Amino acid sequence: MTVMGLNKCKNNTIGVSGYTKGISGGEKKRLSFATELLNNPMLLLADEPTSGLDSYLAGTVVECLRTLVENGRTVMCTIHQPSSDVFSLFTRVMVLAEGRVAYFGDREGMVPYLSKLNYSCPHNYNPSDYVINILSIIPDKEDTCRERIETLCNQHSLEYRQTGEELVKRQEDNRARKWYQLRHFIAPFWIQFIVVLWRELKATMRNKPLVVIRFMQQLVQGVLFGLIFWQITYDYPRVQNVAGLIFLSILSQSFGNTFGVINSFPA
């Protein structure tokens, strides 16, 4: 929580958009990353983590990802049209156009690389916006744009192929090494059980209408079963009636919990 900057909202309800008030959109994004960090992964994949956020919140989320990188993790994420501040937080960049790679390398080397190909980024201009402009398909100029994209992608393929043999050799040398060890959970099972149980109790108690409904459901169910099996005798011919009572009680309890789990999955 400290790494992701969530200490100030650690006691707040997450909330549901449009129903209950909770933490902000940026905090929800950072919370989703925090849940993935519980197992201490060395590689984190993020698909457009800044979607739906303003420039400030987007910068906050990317700064948190940069903190993870500085702590020794590898973070790979897709991002569309980042601001100049957000773009400056990346270390390596891959630019895709028409399904091909137009550039892959250090962020600082992208502008000099484009300048070498006679595509100079204007001064004080966002490099990400500039590269998107030169790789976009403009209406009524589709042929010219596709030729420019093909030229840039072919040029990158030629330059990248020069270092391909070295990368393949490095990969073959590393295959014999043990890249990672099998990671166990940081916390033992009983701690995980207590934490998850406490979280479920808090989530249940916060939803007071659901607690009342469940209480009334069990009360009505108990009264109904009691009336059906009222004054039942415990001799041999009535054993099946007692077995039926036990069966219905177990069945009702099982179905109530089972449907709650099934409804959590999409149709």
Side-chain angles (χ1 to χ4, degrees):
M1 295 182 68
T2 302
V3 174
M4 303 305 296
L6 295 172
N7 284 327
K8 66 177 182 179
C9 60
K10 63 181 180 181
N11 296 323
N12 295 349
T13 305
I14 298 176
V16 180
S17 300
Y19 293 94
T20 58
K21 184 179 179 181
I23 59 180
S24 64
E27 291 171 340
K28 288 182 180 179
K29 289 281 186 179
R30 284 179 283 164
L31 178 61
S32 63
F33 290 120
T35 55
E36 297 297 330
L37 295 177
L38 294 178
N39 293 333
N40 194 22
M42 299 307 298
L43 176 63
L44 186 64
L45 304 177
D47 184 15
E48 296 191 5
T50 60
S51 297
L53 303 179
D54 55 31
S55 59
Y56 173 76
L57 293 178
T60 303
V61 171
V62 177
E63 284 179 357
C64 293
L65 296 180
R66 180 63 182 264
T67 303
L68 298 178
V69 174
E70 294 173 352
N71 290 335
R73 296 181 178 87
T74 300
V75 179
M76 299 176 60
C77 68
T78 59
I79 193 166
H80 183 263
Q81 202 170 5
S83 63
S84 57
D85 294 335
V86 171
F87 184 75
S88 63
L89 297 174
F90 288 89
T91 54
R92 296 179 66 83
V93 178
M94 175 182 286
V95 180
L96 301 177
E98 295 290 311
R100 299 183 60 187
V101 180
Y103 175 77
F104 177 59
D106 296 334
R107 172 184 55 81
E108 296 86 352
M110 188 180 72
V111 174
Y113 172 78
L114 295 176
S115 300
K116 186 175 63 176
L117 301 178
N118 297 324
Y119 293 99
S120 299
C121 179
H123 187 60
N124 293 331
Y125 197 84
N126 187 358
S128 61
D129 290 339
Y130 178 74
V131 73
I132 289 175
N133 291 335
I134 64 176
L135 295 177
S136 298
I137 304 297
I138 303 175
D140 299 330
K141 297 181 181 179
E142 289 86 354
D143 295 337
T144 303
C145 295
R146 287 192 170 89
E147 289 179 1
R148 180 169 62 244
I149 293 174
E150 185 176 2
T151 301
L152 291 172
C153 294
N154 291 337
Q155 181 64 29
H156 179 268
S157 299
L158 293 175
E159 294 192 4
Y160 197 73
R161 191 177 303 169
Q162 297 176 358
T163 59
E165 296 180 359
E166 180 182 354
L167 294 176
V168 172
K169 183 178 181 301
R170 186 184 305 173
Q171 182 179 7
E172 292 177 352
D173 295 339
N174 291 331
R175 283 179 180 176
R177 301 178 183 178
K178 190 174 182 181
W179 279 94
Y180 58 91
Q181 297 179 350
L182 182 61
R183 291 184 174 272
H184 299 281
F185 291 104
I186 299 176
F189 171 78
W190 64 274
I191 292 182
Q192 297 181 46
F193 178 79
I194 293 176
V195 171
V196 174
L197 178 62
W198 177 246
R199 184 184 66 178
E200 181 64 22
L201 289 175
K202 290 182 67 175
T204 303
M205 295 306 297
R206 285 173 177 172
N207 193 350
K208 291 181 174 58
L210 179 62
V211 175
V212 174
I213 291 174
R214 288 182 176 178
F215 176 78
M216 296 301 298
Q217 180 182 4
Q218 298 299 324
L219 180 62
V220 172
Q221 192 175 48
V223 172
L224 182 62
F225 286 168
L227 292 177
I228 293 175
F229 297 96
W230 176 256
Q231 294 183 348
I232 187 172
T233 58
Y234 295 100
D235 53 359
Y236 181 77
R238 303 294 191 274
V239 170
Q240 289 187 348
N241 295 334
V242 177
L245 172 61
I246 297 174
F247 174 76
L248 289 176
S249 300
I250 296 175
L251 195 66
S252 62
Q253 295 294 330
S254 301
F255 278 2
N257 297 325
T258 302
F259 284 131
V261 176
I262 294 177
N263 291 332
S264 64
F265 293 96

